[in-house]
Amino acid sequence: MSKTTCTNCGNENAATNKFCSRCGYALPKIETEIPTSNFQQHSLESKSKKKNIAGLIVGLISFFLVYWAVQHFIFKAPSFDTQLNALASEINKSCPMMIDQETQFDNAIAMPGKVFQYNYTLVNIVKGTVDTLEIKNYIIPRATRNIKTSPDLKYQRENKIALKYYYKDKNGDYLFSFTLTPDQYEN
């Protein structure tokens, strides 16, 4: 059994005592090495390995989540709506322009649901002074033929975009509109 010597009076005390049995002075602490069994050592190593594996798994999951987020949000292909908006912007660079003596092409707008709208002004017409149904019936077959044959409308044809035509009079008042869907211009 080991003993501890009091630093105050020199008395030898049992190592388990905290205070000297003669003077009551606090005894110095003796640090003893407690041998660990093989089972305890193995348990500690096992816990350490599990922590390392858990850290590795969390790290890999984090890496793949960041990789996916970067690919999805930064490098994703432009959406179809974005492409239509870009097409409208490109067309609008040359607008407004006169198509003929009666018709001014004002601009193009990409609409939701694969609809592309063309806005026109009939520059010599005032609402209420003409038969808009007659004008509409005159324009629809020509617009349909133009969609089928114009190289400028190839993208719209290939992507089966509905084309909406919106007409107003020289004062900016609505006259009429019509939409040509892919099933109407593909026949």
Side-chain angles (χ1 to χ4, degrees):
M1 181 183 229
S2 66
K3 301 228 179 208
T4 303
T5 303
C6 178
T7 55
N8 186 43
C9 69
N11 185 40
E12 285 193 12
N13 295 282
T16 56
N17 289 0
K18 291 184 180 182
F19 300 96
C20 179
S21 58
R22 181 186 293 161
C23 68
Y25 193 77
L27 296 172
K29 294 182 182 178
I30 300 175
E31 294 186 25
T32 57
E33 189 176 307
I34 302 171
T36 57
S37 67
N38 282 344
F39 175 75
Q40 289 173 328
Q41 187 67 26
H42 177 70
S43 177
L44 291 173
E45 289 173 2
S46 177
K47 286 180 184 178
S48 176
K49 285 181 183 178
K50 286 180 184 178
K51 281 184 180 179
N52 287 343
I53 290 173
L56 179 65
I57 290 171
V58 168
L60 285 173
I61 290 172
S62 298
F63 170 77
F64 284 112
L65 284 175
V66 169
Y67 177 79
W68 175 82
V70 166
Q71 292 299 317
H72 184 72
F73 294 111
I74 296 175
F75 297 117
K76 73 177 183 177
S79 71
F80 190 73
D81 290 337
T82 304
Q83 292 173 354
L84 279 182
N85 283 330
L87 178 62
S89 293
E90 188 62 32
I91 291 171
N92 291 336
K93 288 179 182 176
S94 59
C95 290
M97 75 166 80
M98 292 302 292
I99 302 299
D100 56 35
Q101 291 178 343
E102 300 289 326
T103 312
Q104 175 181 291
F105 175 49
D106 299 322
N107 62 8
I109 302 171
M111 308 285 283
K114 290 180 76 170
V115 177
F116 201 76
Q117 180 172 311
Y118 294 97
N119 296 314
Y120 293 95
T121 299
L122 298 177
V123 296
N124 296 320
I125 294 178
V126 176
K127 184 176 183 175
T129 62
V130 294
D131 182 3
T132 56
L133 184 58
E134 184 180 328
I135 296 171
K136 183 176 177 180
N137 288 336
Y138 175 81
I139 293 175
I140 290 175
R142 284 156 183 75
T144 305
R145 186 172 47 252
N146 188 41
I147 294 170
K148 289 179 178 182
T149 60
S150 175
D152 293 336
L153 298 173
K154 181 180 179 187
Y155 180 81
Q156 288 88 328
R157 283 192 306 269
E158 288 177 348
N159 291 286
K160 300 184 185 304
I161 297 169
L163 300 173
K164 182 175 182 178
Y165 294 84
Y166 182 93
Y167 286 84
K168 57 188 177 182
D169 72 0
K170 72 178 186 175
N171 299 320
D173 293 330
Y174 171 79
L175 288 173
F176 62 89
S177 64
F178 61 90
T179 302
L180 296 174
T181 60
D183 59 317
Q184 290 173 302
Y185 63 74
E186 287 179 340
N187 294 330

